[in-house]
Amino acid sequence: MLYFGANFPPTVQLFKMMKFQGSHILSVSQFDRDAIAKILHVSAQMAPYASRQKRCHVLDGAILSNLFFEPSTRTRVSFGTAFNLLGGFVRETVGQENSSLSKGESLFDTAQVISGYSDVIAMRHPKMHSVEEFAKGSTVPVINGGDGANEHPTQALLDLFTIQSEMMHFNKGLDDLNIVLMGDLKHGRTVHSLSKLLSLYNNVKVTMVAPKALQMPDSVISTLSNAGHEVVVTDTMAGNLSCDVIYQTRIQQERFASKDEADLYRGHFSLNKSVYQKYCQENTVIMHPLPRDSRPEANELDTDLNDLDNLAIFRQAQNGVLVRMALFALTLGVEEQLTEHEKPVNWFTNRNN
Ligand code: NCD
């Protein structure tokens, strides 16, 4: 059914505690622990389909519009892959210059039109809160793929999924976690969203390592400290990296006034094997939302870490498919129908070996 004008279907709303079906996913503030547990549980159920042991075309015929008005590789492709794996079609618009936003169309109008063509929309945009503004004009669920320096909820959920699965090897969970966030914490939307999610767990210690000018916004720090967690704010690596998980981030050059200004901070907190061995614990898990800036002047996560089992960055990116599949299944209300749509995989694949 298509909806025109301002008569939005009553199912498309932002809920505090979640009824997933028909809901937008705009901010991690929507979730409580139960909602997250549900998402992580459904994500794990997606593993056999993502690894091609079985297929599940429960969204056969559904249409995702993937609107990416800012550069992206893994978020855009994994949203599309996730939807395809569930049997749906994907339409993409990439870059503002290729869309009618460059002709002065409002986000509201674009949303009215595109939601008429789609069952669900994933969107990334450089302006903070733009995805929320867009969602007001949409008649179908909108999933935030990153709105400027504000939030990146699906990344934070996949980060949490990754932390949970990595910590399982050490008989730990999301409670009592000791995590270091390092790099550009001011502009990094992934660490904003992740910190807010971590505040929901018990007895978390978060150490924020960043140049003073690029420290975490106060509002994010107070979300953690108001929930009773220990927060250490520092601009020194020495003595501060002993943790379960170190989460490195990129200097977000696109959020600075100029490249020269971003260059001032590049390479300050490079993590390489010698730093890791000197300051981290033996089993510290290394995460990064990617892309890592591997240019010599930045080298924020050295390739000499590539042979460490605890480097989780590619497992983390892979988990993005599972979590995005789960979010599509939940927002489109098919999470209970997965097994009845299962079929064998007929083509050659060595993915599950
Ligand atoms: C991040 C982003 O776009 O915020 N990338 C991603 O989605 N995996 C982090 C970054 O670009 O540095």
Side-chain angles (χ1 to χ4, degrees):
M1 182 174 184
L2 290 178
Y3 295 86
F4 296 99
N7 300 318
F8 307 130
T11 47
V12 180
Q13 292 170 34
L14 191 57
F15 289 92
K16 179 67 186 164
M17 172 37 208
M18 299 245 7
K19 174 184 166 296
F20 285 100
Q21 183 177 304
S23 295
H24 303 307
I25 308 285
L26 300 177
S27 161
V28 291
S29 311
Q30 286 169 254
F31 306 125
D32 61 11
R33 278 185 71 145
D34 288 343
I36 295 168
K38 177 82 182 168
I39 295 167
L40 301 189
H41 175 72
V42 178
S43 303
Q45 289 181 305
M46 297 299 180
Y49 316 127
S51 65
R52 318 294 202 274
Q53 285 166 26
K54 295 171 192 165
R55 65 196 176 107
C56 174
H57 283 185
V58 66
L59 292 181
D60 183 21
I63 295 176
L64 163 70
S65 285
N66 224 8
L67 308 182
F68 274 72
F69 300 121
E70 214 186 28
S72 174
T73 302
R74 72 225 82 232
T75 304
R76 178 176 57 82
V77 177
S78 67
F79 266 123
T81 301
F83 209 70
N84 287 152
L85 282 166
L86 293 173
F89 300 110
V90 181
R91 296 215 180 101
E92 286 201 335
T93 296
V94 173
Q96 293 203 53
E97 68 283 10
N98 298 318
S99 90
S100 287
L101 293 177
S102 68
K103 298 179 181 174
E105 186 171 51
S106 68
L107 289 169
F108 182 91
D109 285 2
T110 304
Q112 283 272 287
V113 174
I114 298 296
S115 58
Y117 303 157
S118 328
D119 295 288
V120 58
I121 297 172
M123 177 173 163
R124 170 173 286 189
H125 191 283
K127 208 177 97 200
M128 289 168 84
H129 306 290
S130 51
V131 182
E132 199 180 324
E133 190 184 329
F134 177 91
K136 291 193 180 121
S138 174
T139 56
V140 301
V142 175
I143 304 182
N144 182 357
D147 60 326
N150 183 37
E151 277 223 37
H152 196 342
T154 65
Q155 178 72 40
L157 289 164
L158 79 87
D159 291 340
L160 218 53
F161 183 90
T162 304
I163 295 170
Q164 187 180 53
S165 46
E166 298 291 326
M167 286 299 105
M168 238 176 249
H169 302 301
F170 308 110
N171 293 321
K172 289 197 73 169
L174 294 167
D175 290 322
D176 304 314
L177 189 75
N178 177 356
I179 184 168
V180 171
L181 308 176
M182 187 156 84
D184 183 353
L185 306 183
K186 178 181 178 191
H187 304 106
R189 55 193 169 197
T190 72
V191 283
H192 300 168
S193 293
L194 179 58
S195 299
K196 291 183 205 167
L197 283 188
L198 288 171
S199 73
L200 299 172
Y201 293 84
N202 296 326
N203 188 33
V204 177
K205 176 179 176 191
V206 185
T207 304
M208 300 174 175
V209 185
K212 282 193 177 67
L214 301 185
Q215 257 304 348
M216 191 69 92
D218 288 342
S219 60
V220 180
I221 295 179
S222 46
T223 305
L224 280 159
S225 50
N226 291 345
H229 301 297
E230 183 182 349
V231 182
V232 177
V233 176
T234 175
D235 60 359
T236 322
M237 289 196 288
N240 286 313
L241 304 190
S242 177
C243 57
D244 300 312
V245 175
I246 182 162
Y247 188 109
Q248 173 72 298
T249 66
R250 181 179 64 88
I251 298 293
Q252 308 278 297
Q253 185 183 310
E254 63 276 31
R255 316 262 179 249
F256 287 79
S258 66
K259 177 177 177 299
D260 287 350
E261 198 192 330
D263 282 346
L264 295 175
Y265 303 103
R266 238 185 273 279
H268 285 205
F269 296 108
S270 297
L271 186 63
N272 57 27
K273 209 179 242 179
S274 93
V275 172
Y276 180 82
Q277 285 166 347
K278 196 162 167 197
Y279 297 128
C280 293
Q281 291 172 11
E282 200 186 338
N283 287 322
T284 294
V285 170
I286 305 166
M287 293 176 60
H288 189 302
L290 301 180
R292 58 176 154 175
D293 187 343
S294 298
R295 290 171 288 193
E297 65 274 25
N299 200 22
E300 62 208 14
L301 201 57
D302 201 301
T303 49
D304 73 356
L305 296 161
N306 282 7
D307 60 356
L308 292 187
D309 286 344
N310 292 329
L311 185 76
I313 57 176
F314 299 118
R315 295 191 288 277
Q316 186 182 355
Q318 217 50 51
N319 290 337
V321 173
L322 305 183
V323 170
R324 293 183 173 114
M325 288 173 83
L327 292 172
F328 288 133
L330 287 160
T331 51
L332 297 178
V334 295
E335 76 279 9
E336 302 294 339
Q337 299 171 40
L338 302 178
T339 45
E340 75 193 66
H341 285 266
E342 271 178 9
K343 292 214 169 114
V345 166
N346 303 316
W347 58 89
F348 167 76
T349 171
N350 62 4
R351 280 172 185 264
N352 48 24
N353 290 338

